[in-house]
Amino acid sequence: MSALVSFAIYLLFVFVLAAVANRVGKDKGFLKEYFLGSRTIGVWAFALTYAATSASGGSFMGFPSLIYTHGWSLAWWIAGYMVVPLIALGLMAKRINQVSRIAGAITVPELLRRRFGSSLVGNVATLMLIFFMFFYLMAQFKAGAQIMATILEGVPLYTEAVFATEALFDGVPWIGQAEGDYLLCLAFFAVSVIIYTTYGGFRAVVWTDVMQGLVMGVGVIILLVMTLSQVGGLGKATQELSKMTPPEFLDVVVEREDPDVAEEMRIPRGTWILTRDQEVIRLKSAVVVVSGEAASEPVEAIRLTSAGEISRVKESGKLLRGGFAKVSGEVETYAYGAGKPGVYTSTPGPSRDNPMGFLTVFLALSFFVFWNFSGAGQPSYMVRQMAFKNTLTLRRSMAMVAVYFSLIYFPLVIIFTCARVLLPGMEIYPDRVMPEMAQAVTSSAGMPWLAGLLVAAPFAAVMSSVDSFLLLVSSGVVRDIYQESINPKASEKQIKRLTYGVTVVVGVLGMIAVLQPPVFLQHLIVFASAGLGASFLMPMIFALYWRRTSGIAIVAGMVAGAITILSLYLVGMLKTGKFGDYPFLGLHPFIWAVMISGILIVLVSLRSKPPGNSIQEKYFGKAESDGSDPASPIGK
Amino acid sequence: MREGEKEESLGDSFRQSRKEFLVMVAAWAVFATWTTIYVGRNSSSEPGEPLRLVLGMPDWVVFGILIPWGFGLAFTMWFSLCFMRDTDLESISEEGEKE
């Protein structure tokens, strides 16, 4: 309950910031203020809004679950972040800001449209942005709802509200199929973000990002200290990890101990059970033995295989010693790493599906490319690069983000490798390992109220991503479709109403789309990032740095990038039956998409008419807008 | 227009941005090579092989990731605070803006 209070205080601050942002921006031109904060973003705001948007639900939900599942190999998986602030933030920022000012553009599609003087370029960019961004929104909504569910679990009022929600929507198509707790939390999360984003616009998003960025940083550091203290030091945890072997997946049937008892028997999900054969298993979903029946239907569970983990669960006193569960059907072992000690402290890391292991050399290299260059190609970062005040802001922000990311990402690897020791059996719902860990370490330390702050960190990460994406999609619809193609003479009042309306509608659509939540949160995030990066990275690089680039080449590059990603994901789904990519020749689809996109842009540009001299002069020449000072001392 | 003349016609800020772009990509390549080669060669483990710990982590994490991460951080600081040049962006007039 105390965690809930801390969390509520955090949420209150978010709303206050949004209200203040709305008042500050009132006297400024609506569109440039609402979507770009009037290009007045300073160092702290720029650095933290960039970092907070980057550290999404993936960083605090999906990434921890991967570390937990695959061990130290995730340090290699995330290693590219050592230079992400340099590449993803620095590579194009100065030019994007400069070109967007020259063009008077406030959205990414508008920048491309004006740079090439082509509506086709702008319209294709808008379509790509809305399409891939929607997948991103879905993933973040799911993450937000999951965190809420963890915080509220066990609160009596919430439990009653869950039952009421289930009763209310029972039988309603689509909505009624969702679980009550998820439905309630999703609605609360989505409505909160939609309200403050719609009300406050870009400035509110940036200000709340700053607060959320600070919460994330402080949360990770506190969690790191508490985790290391409770696990007995990193060396001890790594030694313990090196003895572990992956669990097995199986179905179990629960029988009544006393067959004469007729009333319904319920065992909650997550319960640890000692089976008849003295094996330790954990239930993935709740078990119900209905009245009159002797046994339950088979339910999914995991079985621990490491002696250390088994003894820790036994010592914890959490084990239900009924002796009434028995394994039913086939037992599934990891395709790589089953029965192999050391698999969590070496590469390629254990994998449930891939007999080659989790992370091969080519895949690791792919991710080194992916984090940096896909990051550079994200429109949500590009729009921030259009908003900073001056280059001094950019330079200081790069340094600040480099420190910030180092304090976030590597510590997360340490925390969640230790989580394997502190919280065994989280394979049943790995995406919840972060909030579970926060609650576990704060309770053990006798400071349960602190869980609210720690859980606010991933929640802040999710919120700061969702608000940015909501604005991006609504700016695409209002600025790039309505104002550009439908009603160029729309009054500010009309634009304002439409902007608010579209932000709400996009948010609500995103919420409805995830009522049946996608299973693989991190896969969805990687897919959306890859799609956006593949569609925008090479087109933007060529638009900014090669004056010979033609508009039609940009369209070809965007479409080719998107089609390559979609095709390789489709192949992946056809081959495995699950949502996921197909790493052709061991490389992530993003690499192929970027290569194909880049080659096409060069070939089509060389075969098409070059842009006019006036455009070349405007964006690349010694125009009056070129404010460089070659004599400026280095390091100033 | 010949290539030399084309280069001459480019603005100074554009040329500076392009130079910085190339330095950043080169730095990325150095760090990617270091990490990929070191970790690729030293991180797998054979059954029964003892775990080598440095600072509580497997040694390949320290030498292949943590140390280059430190250098990456230092390089980013130097690049952003010392190498990158300022460009006067605030004086650019935003032509053709629809408001």
Side-chain angles (χ1 to χ4, degrees):
Chain A
M1 193 66 189
S2 51
L4 190 62
V5 173
S6 329
F7 187 72
I9 293 170
Y10 158 78
L11 266 185
L12 186 69
F13 267 113
V14 169
F15 282 108
V16 169
L17 277 177
V20 177
N22 179 282
R23 294 191 75 82
V24 168
K26 260 197 161 66
D27 303 332
K28 299 177 174 143
F30 176 72
L31 271 181
K32 199 162 94 174
E33 170 59 29
Y34 194 82
F35 290 129
L36 222 50
S38 304
R39 284 195 226 273
T40 54
I41 305 300
V43 177
W44 274 87
F46 180 61
L48 285 172
T49 187
Y50 176 86
T53 304
S54 167
S56 68
S59 308
F60 281 87
M61 299 293 283
F63 180 48
S65 87
L66 287 179
I67 303 168
Y68 185 90
T69 312
H70 305 289
W72 273 106
S73 58
L74 260 289
W76 196 13
W77 189 80
I78 202 69
Y81 265 79
M82 66 179 72
V83 279
V84 158
L86 187 72
I87 300 295
L89 181 54
L91 198 64
M92 297 188 284
K94 201 197 275 186
R95 279 291 287 164
I96 284 182
N97 192 289
Q98 187 180 34
V99 170
S100 71
R101 284 176 193 255
I102 296 170
I106 60 172
T107 68
V108 173
E110 189 179 24
L111 187 155
L112 290 170
R113 173 187 289 120
R114 294 194 177 187
R115 159 71 180 84
F116 294 99
S118 160
S119 291
L120 180 64
V121 173
N123 293 340
V124 171
T126 305
L127 280 179
M128 297 293 171
L129 190 145
I130 292 174
F131 176 75
F132 285 112
M133 201 51 89
F134 203 70
F135 286 95
Y136 224 126
L137 266 180
M138 285 170 62
Q140 303 302 325
F141 273 143
K142 180 195 168 185
Q146 281 185 327
I147 298 166
M148 288 287 313
T150 308
I151 296 168
L152 295 170
E153 203 164 13
V155 176
L157 185 65
Y158 167 72
T159 310
E160 282 175 33
V162 169
F163 285 132
T165 308
E166 279 174 351
L168 185 65
F169 293 104
D170 188 29
V172 179
W174 188 245
I175 302 176
Q177 291 165 327
E179 288 181 15
D181 58 344
Y182 176 76
L183 196 60
L184 196 65
C185 293
L186 177 67
F188 182 85
F189 171 77
V191 169
S192 309
V193 185
I194 291 168
I195 287 174
Y196 85 72
T197 307
T198 306
Y199 188 62
F202 186 82
R203 192 176 293 275
V205 166
V206 169
W207 284 7
T208 50
D209 281 357
V210 170
M211 191 186 91
Q212 288 154 354
L214 292 173
V215 167
M216 282 186 256
V218 172
V220 168
I221 290 166
I222 293 174
L223 193 56
L224 177 69
V225 172
M226 293 182 104
T227 301
L228 287 177
S229 135
Q230 290 184 24
V231 85
L234 183 58
K236 192 177 168 196
T238 308
Q239 287 283 10
E240 193 60 45
L241 208 66
S242 71
K243 296 174 199 156
M244 286 184 190
T245 50
E248 294 166 341
F249 297 84
L250 40 86
D251 285 345
V252 294
V253 167
V254 175
E255 295 171 347
R256 291 180 190 280
E257 263 187 299
D258 182 355
D260 296 332
V261 177
E263 67 199 36
E264 184 177 276
M265 183 173 87
R266 279 177 174 268
I267 304 174
R269 70 176 172 184
T271 303
W272 288 101
I273 296 179
L274 191 66
T275 67
R276 286 180 177 166
D277 302 323
Q278 297 300 300
E279 292 164 329
V280 174
I281 62 165
R282 192 175 195 196
L283 299 174
K284 192 175 178 181
S285 47
V287 167
V288 180
V289 184
V290 293
S291 54
E293 295 288 333
S296 71
E297 292 293 314
V299 291
E300 287 180 69
I302 59 161
R303 179 165 65 193
L304 296 186
T305 60
S306 313
E309 285 184 292
I310 291 170
S311 66
R312 270 195 301 280
V313 173
K314 284 181 176 173
E315 285 161 15
S316 71
K318 291 177 184 168
L319 206 53
L320 197 61
R321 293 170 189 275
F324 45 75
K326 67 174 185 182
V327 175
S328 149
E330 295 279 305
V331 175
E332 182 200 333
T333 57
Y334 268 52
Y336 180 90
K340 191 180 174 198
V343 74
Y344 288 108
T345 49
S346 59
T347 65
S351 173
R352 194 172 164 184
D353 312 312
N354 189 349
M356 302 289 288
F358 170 67
L359 194 64
T360 58
V361 176
F362 279 122
L363 205 55
L365 180 60
S366 297
F367 275 105
F368 211 104
V369 178
F370 181 77
W371 298 127
N372 285 279
F373 292 97
S374 162
Q378 298 301 307
S380 52
Y381 306 157
M382 289 178 185
V383 85
R384 276 158 176 68
Q385 291 166 358
M386 290 159 68
F388 64 79
K389 196 176 172 190
N390 50 37
T391 45
L392 189 63
T393 302
L394 169 68
R395 296 194 294 114
R396 289 181 175 167
S397 299
M398 282 172 70
M400 196 186 275
V401 173
V403 174
Y404 183 86
F405 277 175
S406 301
L407 290 176
I408 294 272
Y409 285 101
F410 201 80
L412 280 175
V413 178
I414 294 175
I415 292 166
F416 289 98
T417 48
C418 294
R420 280 208 69 82
V421 179
L422 292 175
L423 282 182
M426 282 303 294
E427 283 89 353
I428 55 166
Y429 29 62
D431 276 349
R432 287 177 64 165
V433 70
M434 166 76 192
E436 294 278 349
M437 185 72 177
Q439 294 212 322
V441 294
T442 51
S443 298
S444 300
M447 292 187 279
W449 55 271
L450 195 55
L453 176 68
L454 297 185
V455 174
F459 198 74
V462 177
M463 272 189 151
S464 60
S465 300
V466 170
D467 56 22
S468 309
F469 303 154
L470 269 179
L471 270 193
L472 260 184
V473 176
S474 64
S475 70
V477 174
V478 175
R479 178 74 163 182
D480 301 315
I481 296 177
Y482 180 76
Q483 201 182 12
E484 190 64 37
S485 310
I486 299 171
N487 185 6
K489 291 179 181 167
S491 68
E492 185 166 303
K493 200 174 173 185
Q494 282 175 305
I495 293 288
K496 202 169 181 174
R497 280 186 186 160
L498 186 70
T499 303
Y500 289 153
V502 168
T503 310
V504 171
V505 168
V506 170
V508 171
L509 285 178
M511 184 177 77
I512 293 171
V514 287
L515 285 174
Q516 296 300 315
V519 179
F520 303 103
L521 180 68
Q522 189 66 14
H523 288 180
L524 204 60
I525 289 169
V526 172
F527 165 73
S529 307
L532 287 164
S535 306
F536 286 94
L537 176 67
M538 293 316 258
M540 189 57 87
I541 286 179
F542 279 98
L544 299 175
Y545 290 99
W546 194 36
R547 57 182 170 173
R548 177 68 178 79
T549 313
S550 66
I552 193 70
I554 292 295
V555 171
M558 282 193 286
V559 172
I563 287 178
T564 309
I565 289 289
L566 290 172
S567 307
L568 289 174
Y569 267 82
L570 188 64
V571 173
M573 283 171 72
L574 291 175
K575 281 179 94 77
T576 64
K578 288 192 287 192
F579 183 75
D581 61 279
Y582 173 61
F584 181 57
L585 297 180
L587 292 174
H588 192 274
F590 174 74
I591 313 286
W592 294 110
V594 165
M595 283 196 287
I596 292 169
S597 170
I599 290 168
L600 261 181
I601 292 173
V602 173
L603 291 179
V604 176
S605 290
L606 292 175
R607 293 188 68 86
S608 54
K609 195 178 156 197
N613 282 339
S614 60
I615 284 196
Q616 293 196 30
E617 180 60 26
K618 184 175 177 184
Y619 293 106
F620 295 87
K622 294 174 172 172
E624 58 174 339
S625 55
D626 184 346
S628 70
D629 176 9
S632 143
I634 288 173
K636 197 172 175 181
Chain B
M1 200 185 279
R2 284 177 300 164
E3 205 51 46
E5 289 170 349
K6 278 185 182 173
E7 192 65 21
E8 279 289 300
S9 69
L10 294 172
D12 290 329
S13 74
F14 170 72
R15 284 195 285 190
Q16 177 63 23
S17 296
R18 191 177 57 184
K19 185 171 136 192
E20 289 164 0
F21 177 96
L22 295 173
V23 172
M24 284 187 261
V25 172
W28 171 86
V30 169
F31 288 108
T33 307
W34 177 350
T35 295
T36 306
I37 292 180
Y38 187 89
V39 178
R41 294 179 71 164
N42 296 286
S43 61
S44 56
S45 124
E46 296 302 318
E49 197 178 330
L51 176 68
R52 293 179 301 274
L53 287 184
V54 177
L55 301 173
M57 295 169 241
D59 60 350
W60 59 267
V61 174
V62 175
F63 297 116
I65 295 164
L66 191 61
I67 291 176
W69 196 305
F71 277 102
L73 175 63
F75 181 83
T76 304
M77 305 282 268
W78 168 79
F79 181 89
S80 58
L81 299 177
C82 302
F83 182 79
M84 225 175 169
R85 283 192 183 186
D86 280 325
T87 297
D88 181 10
L89 298 171
E90 288 170 285
S91 67
I92 297 172
S93 52
E94 298 192 30
E95 292 170 47
E97 187 181 344
K98 290 178 183 179
E99 279 276 2

